[in-house]
mmCIF file of all heavy atoms in Angstrom:
data_model
loop_
_atom_site.group_PDB
_atom_site.id
_atom_site.type_symbol
_atom_site.label_atom_id
_atom_site.label_comp_id
_atom_site.label_asym_id
_atom_site.label_seq_id
_atom_site.Cartn_x
_atom_site.Cartn_y
_atom_site.Cartn_z
ATOM 1 N N ASP A 1 52.424 41.643 -16.207
ATOM 2 C CA ASP A 1 53.204 42.153 -15.081
ATOM 3 C C ASP A 1 52.421 43.296 -14.418
ATOM 4 O O ASP A 1 52.186 44.336 -15.037
ATOM 5 C CB ASP A 1 54.560 42.652 -15.601
ATOM 6 C CG ASP A 1 55.506 43.080 -14.475
ATOM 7 O OD1 ASP A 1 55.028 43.377 -13.361
ATOM 8 O OD2 ASP A 1 56.720 43.124 -14.730
ATOM 9 N N ILE A 2 51.999 43.093 -13.164
ATOM 10 C CA ILE A 2 51.205 44.120 -12.462
ATOM 11 C C ILE A 2 51.941 44.664 -11.222
ATOM 12 O O ILE A 2 51.315 45.228 -10.322
ATOM 13 C CB ILE A 2 49.816 43.567 -12.058
ATOM 14 C CG1 ILE A 2 49.938 42.374 -11.085
ATOM 15 C CG2 ILE A 2 48.989 43.197 -13.279
ATOM 16 C CD1 ILE A 2 48.635 41.971 -10.411
ATOM 17 N N THR A 3 53.256 44.504 -11.199
ATOM 18 C CA THR A 3 54.054 44.843 -10.004
ATOM 19 C C THR A 3 53.764 46.244 -9.469
ATOM 20 O O THR A 3 53.610 46.448 -8.259
ATOM 21 C CB THR A 3 55.560 44.707 -10.327
ATOM 22 O OG1 THR A 3 55.791 43.414 -10.900
ATOM 23 C CG2 THR A 3 56.411 44.877 -9.081
ATOM 24 N N GLU A 4 53.670 47.239 -10.376
ATOM 25 C CA GLU A 4 53.507 48.630 -9.934
ATOM 26 C C GLU A 4 52.171 48.899 -9.244
ATOM 27 O O GLU A 4 52.022 49.927 -8.576
ATOM 28 C CB GLU A 4 53.662 49.599 -11.127
ATOM 29 C CG GLU A 4 55.088 49.765 -11.595
ATOM 30 C CD GLU A 4 55.517 48.668 -12.556
ATOM 31 O OE1 GLU A 4 54.724 47.725 -12.761
ATOM 32 O OE2 GLU A 4 56.632 48.732 -13.079
ATOM 33 N N CYS A 5 51.209 48.002 -9.402
ATOM 34 C CA CYS A 5 49.905 48.186 -8.739
ATOM 35 C C CYS A 5 50.048 48.282 -7.221
ATOM 36 O O CYS A 5 49.176 48.835 -6.549
ATOM 37 C CB CYS A 5 48.968 47.020 -9.061
ATOM 38 S SG CYS A 5 48.396 46.980 -10.770
ATOM 39 N N PHE A 6 51.125 47.739 -6.701
ATOM 40 C CA PHE A 6 51.286 47.654 -5.246
ATOM 41 C C PHE A 6 52.155 48.786 -4.682
ATOM 42 O O PHE A 6 52.488 48.793 -3.509
ATOM 43 C CB PHE A 6 51.863 46.283 -4.871
ATOM 44 C CG PHE A 6 51.007 45.165 -5.412
ATOM 45 C CD1 PHE A 6 51.315 44.543 -6.616
ATOM 46 C CD2 PHE A 6 49.849 44.783 -4.750
ATOM 47 C CE1 PHE A 6 50.501 43.544 -7.135
ATOM 48 C CE2 PHE A 6 49.031 43.795 -5.264
ATOM 49 C CZ PHE A 6 49.354 43.171 -6.459
ATOM 50 N N THR A 7 52.506 49.746 -5.570
ATOM 51 C CA THR A 7 53.256 50.931 -5.115
ATOM 52 C C THR A 7 52.304 52.121 -5.119
ATOM 53 O O THR A 7 51.876 52.579 -6.186
ATOM 54 C CB THR A 7 54.454 51.214 -6.052
ATOM 55 O OG1 THR A 7 55.280 50.055 -6.104
ATOM 56 C CG2 THR A 7 55.265 52.401 -5.551
ATOM 57 N N GLU A 8 51.958 52.592 -3.930
ATOM 58 C CA GLU A 8 51.026 53.713 -3.771
ATOM 59 C C GLU A 8 51.486 54.912 -4.599
ATOM 60 O O GLU A 8 52.646 55.312 -4.551
ATOM 61 C CB GLU A 8 50.968 54.110 -2.285
ATOM 62 C CG GLU A 8 49.911 55.145 -1.942
ATOM 63 C CD GLU A 8 48.537 54.539 -1.712
ATOM 64 O OE1 GLU A 8 48.447 53.453 -1.117
ATOM 65 O OE2 GLU A 8 47.559 55.167 -2.150
ATOM 66 N N GLY A 9 50.563 55.473 -5.403
ATOM 67 C CA GLY A 9 50.857 56.693 -6.162
ATOM 68 C C GLY A 9 51.619 56.476 -7.461
ATOM 69 O O GLY A 9 51.879 57.441 -8.183
ATOM 70 N N ASP A 10 51.983 55.239 -7.771
ATOM 71 C CA ASP A 10 52.702 54.968 -9.022
ATOM 72 C C ASP A 10 51.738 55.118 -10.203
ATOM 73 O O ASP A 10 50.684 54.484 -10.248
ATOM 74 C CB ASP A 10 53.285 53.550 -8.998
ATOM 75 C CG ASP A 10 54.161 53.270 -10.206
ATOM 76 O OD1 ASP A 10 53.600 53.006 -11.295
ATOM 77 O OD2 ASP A 10 55.386 53.326 -10.073
ATOM 78 N N GLU A 11 52.103 55.965 -11.175
ATOM 79 C CA GLU A 11 51.189 56.284 -12.278
ATOM 80 C C GLU A 11 50.855 55.047 -13.121
ATOM 81 O O GLU A 11 49.703 54.814 -13.493
ATOM 82 C CB GLU A 11 51.809 57.372 -13.160
ATOM 83 C CG GLU A 11 50.816 57.998 -14.107
ATOM 84 C CD GLU A 11 51.434 59.092 -14.987
ATOM 85 O OE1 GLU A 11 52.506 59.610 -14.632
ATOM 86 O OE2 GLU A 11 50.844 59.384 -16.024
ATOM 87 N N VAL A 12 51.878 54.256 -13.422
ATOM 88 C CA VAL A 12 51.664 53.018 -14.197
ATOM 89 C C VAL A 12 50.755 52.061 -13.418
ATOM 90 O O VAL A 12 49.809 51.492 -13.961
ATOM 91 C CB VAL A 12 53.017 52.335 -14.520
ATOM 92 C CG1 VAL A 12 52.819 50.911 -15.018
ATOM 93 C CG2 VAL A 12 53.772 53.152 -15.566
ATOM 94 N N GLY A 13 51.040 51.924 -12.116
ATOM 95 C CA GLY A 13 50.231 51.046 -11.265
ATOM 96 C C GLY A 13 48.778 51.482 -11.212
ATOM 97 O O GLY A 13 47.859 50.651 -11.263
ATOM 98 N N GLU A 14 48.541 52.799 -11.124
ATOM 99 C CA GLU A 14 47.169 53.311 -11.050
ATOM 100 C C GLU A 14 46.414 53.041 -12.351
ATOM 101 O O GLU A 14 45.232 52.689 -12.339
ATOM 102 C CB GLU A 14 47.186 54.813 -10.728
ATOM 103 C CG GLU A 14 47.607 55.074 -9.284
ATOM 104 C CD GLU A 14 47.503 56.535 -8.868
ATOM 105 O OE1 GLU A 14 47.242 57.384 -9.737
ATOM 106 O OE2 GLU A 14 47.682 56.803 -7.659
ATOM 107 N N LEU A 15 47.110 53.195 -13.469
ATOM 108 C CA LEU A 15 46.484 52.941 -14.776
ATOM 109 C C LEU A 15 46.155 51.452 -14.931
ATOM 110 O O LEU A 15 45.074 51.087 -15.410
ATOM 111 C CB LEU A 15 47.444 53.405 -15.877
ATOM 112 C CG LEU A 15 46.853 53.907 -17.196
ATOM 113 C CD1 LEU A 15 45.725 54.891 -16.993
ATOM 114 C CD2 LEU A 15 47.959 54.526 -18.054
ATOM 115 N N LEU A 16 47.087 50.591 -14.515
ATOM 116 C CA LEU A 16 46.830 49.144 -14.573
ATOM 117 C C LEU A 16 45.669 48.745 -13.668
ATOM 118 O O LEU A 16 44.827 47.917 -14.039
ATOM 119 C CB LEU A 16 48.086 48.362 -14.171
ATOM 120 C CG LEU A 16 49.205 48.274 -15.217
ATOM 121 C CD1 LEU A 16 50.450 47.659 -14.599
ATOM 122 C CD2 LEU A 16 48.761 47.474 -16.438
ATOM 123 N N LEU A 17 45.596 49.362 -12.480
ATOM 124 C CA LEU A 17 44.489 49.066 -11.558
ATOM 125 C C LEU A 17 43.150 49.494 -12.148
ATOM 126 O O LEU A 17 42.147 48.804 -11.990
ATOM 127 C CB LEU A 17 44.707 49.773 -10.219
ATOM 128 C CG LEU A 17 45.403 48.970 -9.123
ATOM 129 C CD1 LEU A 17 45.615 49.835 -7.894
ATOM 130 C CD2 LEU A 17 44.604 47.708 -8.751
ATOM 131 N N ASP A 18 43.148 50.646 -12.828
ATOM 132 C CA ASP A 18 41.912 51.084 -13.505
ATOM 133 C C ASP A 18 41.487 50.035 -14.528
ATOM 134 O O ASP A 18 40.305 49.706 -14.645
ATOM 135 C CB ASP A 18 42.137 52.420 -14.219
ATOM 136 C CG ASP A 18 42.111 53.602 -13.268
ATOM 137 O OD1 ASP A 18 42.176 53.384 -12.038
ATOM 138 O OD2 ASP A 18 42.031 54.747 -13.749
ATOM 139 N N PHE A 19 42.475 49.512 -15.276
ATOM 140 C CA PHE A 19 42.136 48.523 -16.313
ATOM 141 C C PHE A 19 41.637 47.223 -15.684
ATOM 142 O O PHE A 19 40.659 46.633 -16.139
ATOM 143 C CB PHE A 19 43.350 48.248 -17.203
ATOM 144 C CG PHE A 19 42.987 47.458 -18.433
ATOM 145 C CD1 PHE A 19 42.377 48.068 -19.511
ATOM 146 C CD2 PHE A 19 43.241 46.090 -18.494
ATOM 147 C CE1 PHE A 19 42.011 47.333 -20.636
ATOM 148 C CE2 PHE A 19 42.891 45.356 -19.611
ATOM 149 C CZ PHE A 19 42.268 45.979 -20.688
ATOM 150 N N LEU A 20 42.295 46.784 -14.632
ATOM 151 C CA LEU A 20 41.921 45.524 -13.971
ATOM 152 C C LEU A 20 40.529 45.591 -13.342
ATOM 153 O O LEU A 20 39.784 44.620 -13.357
ATOM 154 C CB LEU A 20 42.955 45.174 -12.893
ATOM 155 C CG LEU A 20 44.288 44.612 -13.401
ATOM 156 C CD1 LEU A 20 45.370 44.775 -12.345
ATOM 157 C CD2 LEU A 20 44.129 43.143 -13.792
ATOM 158 N N THR A 21 40.191 46.755 -12.798
ATOM 159 C CA THR A 21 38.903 46.883 -12.088
ATOM 160 C C THR A 21 37.819 47.506 -12.957
ATOM 161 O O THR A 21 36.645 47.495 -12.581
ATOM 162 C CB THR A 21 39.068 47.766 -10.837
ATOM 163 O OG1 THR A 21 39.547 49.065 -11.236
ATOM 164 C CG2 THR A 21 40.045 47.138 -9.844
ATOM 165 N N GLU A 22 38.212 48.059 -14.136
ATOM 166 C CA GLU A 22 37.298 48.794 -15.025
ATOM 167 C C GLU A 22 36.673 49.989 -14.315
ATOM 168 O O GLU A 22 35.516 50.351 -14.551
ATOM 169 C CB GLU A 22 36.187 47.863 -15.566
ATOM 170 C CG GLU A 22 36.687 46.787 -16.511
ATOM 171 C CD GLU A 22 36.788 47.253 -17.958
ATOM 172 O OE1 GLU A 22 36.259 48.317 -18.281
ATOM 173 O OE2 GLU A 22 37.419 46.540 -18.756
ATOM 174 N N VAL A 23 37.450 50.605 -13.408
ATOM 175 C CA VAL A 23 36.961 51.752 -12.630
ATOM 176 C C VAL A 23 37.909 52.933 -12.852
ATOM 177 O O VAL A 23 39.133 52.777 -12.812
ATOM 178 C CB VAL A 23 36.886 51.399 -11.123
ATOM 179 C CG1 VAL A 23 36.686 52.660 -10.266
ATOM 180 C CG2 VAL A 23 35.773 50.397 -10.864
ATOM 181 N N ILE A 24 37.339 54.131 -13.085
ATOM 182 C CA ILE A 24 38.159 55.334 -13.245
ATOM 183 C C ILE A 24 38.764 55.721 -11.890
ATOM 184 O O ILE A 24 38.037 55.879 -10.910
ATOM 185 C CB ILE A 24 37.309 56.518 -13.768
ATOM 186 C CG1 ILE A 24 36.724 56.203 -15.160
ATOM 187 C CG2 ILE A 24 38.142 57.801 -13.832
ATOM 188 C CD1 ILE A 24 35.679 57.194 -15.631
ATOM 189 N N GLY A 25 40.083 55.851 -11.839
ATOM 190 C CA GLY A 25 40.762 56.284 -10.622
ATOM 191 C C GLY A 25 40.486 55.369 -9.440
ATOM 192 O O GLY A 25 40.225 55.839 -8.329
ATOM 193 N N PHE A 26 40.581 54.078 -9.663
ATOM 194 C CA PHE A 26 40.229 53.105 -8.614
ATOM 195 C C PHE A 26 41.002 53.356 -7.317
ATOM 196 O O PHE A 26 40.425 53.382 -6.231
ATOM 197 C CB PHE A 26 40.485 51.671 -9.100
ATOM 198 C CG PHE A 26 40.210 50.628 -8.042
ATOM 199 C CD1 PHE A 26 38.915 50.233 -7.768
ATOM 200 C CD2 PHE A 26 41.252 50.060 -7.306
ATOM 201 C CE1 PHE A 26 38.652 49.282 -6.779
ATOM 202 C CE2 PHE A 26 40.998 49.117 -6.321
ATOM 203 C CZ PHE A 26 39.697 48.726 -6.058
ATOM 204 N N SER A 27 42.325 53.560 -7.425
ATOM 205 C CA SER A 27 43.129 53.673 -6.202
ATOM 206 C C SER A 27 42.788 54.939 -5.405
ATOM 207 O O SER A 27 42.959 54.980 -4.194
ATOM 208 C CB SER A 27 44.623 53.630 -6.515
ATOM 209 O OG SER A 27 44.974 54.715 -7.340
ATOM 210 N N LYS A 28 42.260 55.967 -6.086
ATOM 211 C CA LYS A 28 41.885 57.206 -5.387
ATOM 212 C C LYS A 28 40.427 57.186 -4.918
ATOM 213 O O LYS A 28 40.080 57.786 -3.894
ATOM 214 C CB LYS A 28 42.085 58.407 -6.319
ATOM 215 C CG LYS A 28 43.543 58.705 -6.653
ATOM 216 C CD LYS A 28 43.660 60.030 -7.411
ATOM 217 C CE LYS A 28 45.111 60.385 -7.692
ATOM 218 N NZ LYS A 28 45.657 59.641 -8.825
ATOM 219 N N ASN A 29 39.558 56.509 -5.679
ATOM 220 C CA ASN A 29 38.116 56.632 -5.437
ATOM 221 C C ASN A 29 37.462 55.456 -4.725
ATOM 222 O O ASN A 29 36.362 55.588 -4.190
ATOM 223 C CB ASN A 29 37.387 56.864 -6.776
ATOM 224 C CG ASN A 29 37.844 58.140 -7.458
ATOM 225 O OD1 ASN A 29 38.054 59.147 -6.796
ATOM 226 N ND2 ASN A 29 38.010 58.105 -8.777
ATOM 227 N N ALA A 30 38.121 54.292 -4.729
ATOM 228 C CA ALA A 30 37.499 53.115 -4.099
ATOM 229 C C ALA A 30 37.582 53.223 -2.577
ATOM 230 O O ALA A 30 38.564 53.733 -2.040
ATOM 231 C CB ALA A 30 38.204 51.846 -4.571
ATOM 232 N N PRO A 31 36.556 52.729 -1.862
ATOM 233 C CA PRO A 31 36.643 52.673 -0.400
ATOM 234 C C PRO A 31 37.864 51.840 0.019
ATOM 235 O O PRO A 31 38.256 50.903 -0.688
ATOM 236 C CB PRO A 31 35.346 51.970 0.011
ATOM 237 C CG PRO A 31 34.453 52.031 -1.184
ATOM 238 C CD PRO A 31 35.315 52.157 -2.384
ATOM 239 N N GLU A 32 38.441 52.165 1.163
ATOM 240 C CA GLU A 32 39.675 51.506 1.611
ATOM 241 C C GLU A 32 39.528 49.987 1.703
ATOM 242 O O GLU A 32 40.428 49.248 1.309
ATOM 243 C CB GLU A 32 40.121 52.061 2.968
ATOM 244 C CG GLU A 32 40.952 53.334 2.889
ATOM 245 C CD GLU A 32 42.172 53.229 1.966
ATOM 246 O OE1 GLU A 32 42.919 52.226 2.070
ATOM 247 O OE2 GLU A 32 42.374 54.126 1.136
ATOM 248 N N ASP A 33 38.374 49.510 2.207
ATOM 249 C CA ASP A 33 38.219 48.053 2.360
ATOM 250 C C ASP A 33 38.177 47.349 1.008
ATOM 251 O O ASP A 33 38.735 46.264 0.839
ATOM 252 C CB ASP A 33 36.979 47.712 3.211
ATOM 253 C CG ASP A 33 35.688 48.262 2.620
ATOM 254 O OD1 ASP A 33 35.755 49.237 1.838
ATOM 255 O OD2 ASP A 33 34.607 47.719 2.921
ATOM 256 N N LEU A 34 37.538 47.977 0.010
ATOM 257 C CA LEU A 34 37.485 47.391 -1.337
ATOM 258 C C LEU A 34 38.881 47.409 -1.964
ATOM 259 O O LEU A 34 39.323 46.413 -2.548
ATOM 260 C CB LEU A 34 36.494 48.162 -2.214
ATOM 261 C CG LEU A 34 36.391 47.709 -3.676
ATOM 262 C CD1 LEU A 34 35.966 46.243 -3.779
ATOM 263 C CD2 LEU A 34 35.415 48.604 -4.453
#
């Protein structure tokens, strides 16, 4: 279940996105287009 990934600023979503992309702080650090 990755639902929270699509809610900006959601802590659970941000952690799941880091795991999915293997990137630290993906939602804060990735370029907007990526």
